[in-house]
Amino acid sequence: MIQITILGSGTCVPTKRRGTPGIAIRSKSSWVLVDGGSGTLSRMASAGIDYTAVDYLLYTHIHPDHTLDLISLLFAMNYTPGYERDRALDIIGPRGFKKFFEDLSRPYPWIRPKSFPMDVMEVTDEYFSVGYLGVQAAEVNHGDLPSVAYRFTNDAETMVISGDTEFCDEIVDLSRKTDLLLCEASFPTDEFDTQMHLSASLAGRVACLAQVKNLALYHFYPVCDEYDMKVLCAKEYDGRIIITEDLMELEINQKTLRVINNRTHP
Ligand SMILES: [Zn+2]
Ligand SMILES: [Zn+2]
């Protein structure tokens, strides 16, 4: 079983409905966090996810809407009164992430771990594991910025998180026959600037070419909410399409996808 919580389904543009991208994946008693911009930590609190139980932080790329709460999270892990972390923390990101972290920790020395072992690692196309989940990384195209998508596998199920990407073979190949593709759809149609991103129809094309079993869309700029994203996406993909919301929970169990709940953030 793979359980995920959408912490933020939006972008850098703040709206009441959609926060910055962040996805939490349950790994038995701990959590894997994939991306986390400003506000992700408070969305975790709203979702009832204990930030001290996060053991793996995966980043798709360093754009601020995907990384800003790395600072907040590490600061909280170091300076929560009465809490002293001893469990290890692994941070994984694309090429350049080690330097990014070193650079960040100069003005913010408080993010260097006080009491716990921490590794910062870079991946391109490696296979590694986070808890009981195997992870295949693949570099995708997001302008000049090194960016990766991740494919998660347990013994039975698979799920891909696209991060930010334009249409490219790499995201299609990584997503092939996966049970769930959580795919960015920054814009409604290709009339918008999809140079570094996907539209609903392009996300549908990725899902169709990759023959994925279920497609969930996220990373919506506000204009997306003025369109019927599902209808636009369904022009290219005839499988199940889910328009994610903040705090939506998804579960893949015995290869069947269930939307556990769909709480609307106040
Ligand atoms: Zn983004
Ligand atoms: Zn980006």
Side-chain angles (χ1 to χ4, degrees), residues 61 63 65-66 142 145 164 197 219:
H61 64 299
H63 274 154
D65 55 324
H66 295 253
H142 188 43
L145 193 60
D164 288 7
H197 291 289
H219 201 276

Side-chain angles (χ1 to χ4, degrees), residues 131-246:
Y132 79 104
L133 291 168
V135 187
Q136 176 68 55
E139 289 197 305
V140 291
N141 292 357
H142 188 43
D144 294 334
L145 193 60
S147 300
V148 287
Y150 295 108
R151 179 185 178 104
F152 298 85
T153 319
N154 63 12
D155 287 340
E157 289 106 5
T158 55
M159 173 190 64
V160 167
I161 296 178
S162 70
D164 288 7
T165 183
E166 61 187 23
F167 187 86
C168 59
D169 291 342
E170 289 79 3
I171 189 62
V172 174
D173 290 342
L174 187 72
S175 306
R176 208 163 292 285
K177 301 214 161 151
T178 193
D179 295 313
L180 172 65
L181 168 60
L182 178 59
C183 193
E184 78 125 287
S186 297
F187 300 106
T189 66
D190 302 353
E191 274 103 66
F192 292 83
D193 181 9
T194 51
Q195 265 221 328
M196 288 170 64
H197 291 289
L198 296 171
S199 61
S201 48
L202 284 172
R205 195 171 306 164
V206 171
C208 175
L209 290 171
Q211 299 176 280
V212 308
K213 284 181 69 181
N214 298 279
L215 173 64
L217 302 180
Y218 82 126
H219 201 276
F220 301 122
Y221 279 108
V223 66
C224 294
D225 290 325
E226 297 167 23
Y227 288 76
D228 190 332
M229 294 290 277
K230 205 182 251 193
V231 167
L232 293 169
C233 185
K235 288 181 180 167
E236 299 278 347
Y237 172 68
D238 62 4
R240 184 176 175 195
I241 300 163
I242 293 156
I243 305 298
T244 65
E245 302 289 340
D246 289 19

